[in-house]
Amino acid sequence: MTYNPFQKFSWKLAHGRSLELGPRGVLMAIVNVTPDSFSDGGRFIDSVAAVAQGIRCLEDGALILDIGGESTRPDAAPVSAEEEQERILPVIAALARDTDAVISVDTYRASTARLAVEAGAHIVNDVHGLQREPDIATVAATTGAGLCIMHTGRDREKLADVIADQAHFLDRSLEIAEAAGVAREQIVLDPGFGFAKDTDENLELMARFSELHRFHLPLLVGTSRKRFVGAVSGRDAAHRDVATAATTALLRVAGASIFRVHDVANSRDALVMADAMLNARAG
């Protein structure tokens, strides 16, 4: 059966929430409660500043706030679970109390994911695709949290073809989720732009993006300020938001559903134009 990424999909989340995907693109704002993230490290390490940034992102048009306490850049120093939790749990609790935002926790640790959902998070976003701590799938299954499963090429041998490697990795991740009892309605996939992929691989992944609809699941993309965006645009990390917005429009037309970005306002404008064109095309 042909999969239509623009049809309605009710994404089931924790705490009885759901989010409609498909007919219009959704923005997920990045809120890094870290000192060393590649483009905004240290700006929101204070919980009050992080909460204020989350509220600004909602005002700019984000529907989801993705809260992370450990940088995922390649040379970042790891932090303990305790430190990660000390950074993010107060932010999640405050945003859950003071806003109606859909809140995502960016973590690969099952213990952090469980505590984050208890604090009010609705989504678990795992950059290791359940393959570093598979128990994170059990957290999603038992709490009903939405689950973002990301592809990564780190710490393993990749297949030469970018789409074949996506299938090789994500099929295994989906097996882990199914075995844990995660419902399909809870799952969104992320092809992991920038994670052990060079510029040519990222561009090929964009060009062949529609092939990822083979999974029959909504797709989240995170191109924001990535190195390949800088390689193409010639901009440093602080000046890649316009180029990021261009990828938002291009990937929306290719069928992406969720866009994880630092700068919400620019990508919002790109997204509403892409959605307007898609609506006109649909008649």
Side-chain angles (χ1 to χ4, degrees), residues 15 30 89 93 97 118 152 174 190 224 256:
H15 309 298
I30 300 166
L89 293 179
R97 181 187 67 239
E118 289 176 3
T152 181
L174 289 169
D190 179 349
S224 187

Side-chain angles (χ1 to χ4, degrees), residues 40-55:
D40 60 356
R43 291 186 62 196
F44 313 118
I45 189 65
D46 174 77
S47 61
V48 173
V51 170
Q53 171 65 6
I55 292 171

Side-chain angles (χ1 to χ4, degrees), residues 177-196:
E178 182 178 7
V182 181
R184 294 279 290 187
E185 293 79 11
Q186 291 173 250
I187 298 173
V188 163
L189 299 180
D190 179 349
F193 284 99
F195 280 75

Side-chain angles (χ1 to χ4, degrees), residues 176-246:
I176 294 169
E178 182 178 7
V182 181
R184 294 279 290 187
E185 293 79 11
Q186 291 173 250
I187 298 173
V188 163
L189 299 180
D190 179 349
F193 284 99
F195 280 75
K197 301 172 184 69
D198 63 23
T199 297
D200 289 343
E201 289 171 314
N202 284 299
L203 292 173
E204 183 176 359
L205 191 55
M206 285 187 65
R208 298 175 62 188
F209 191 82
S210 62
E211 295 179 47
L212 297 175
H213 299 313
R214 67 181 294 281
F215 295 105
H216 288 205
L217 285 166
L219 297 169
L220 180 154
V221 294
T223 60
S224 187
R225 300 179 182 170
K226 290 288 175 70
R227 186 175 302 174
F228 85 96
V229 175
V232 174
S233 66
R235 302 287 187 180
D236 61 24
H239 299 94
R240 294 174 187 166
D241 291 329
V242 173
T244 295

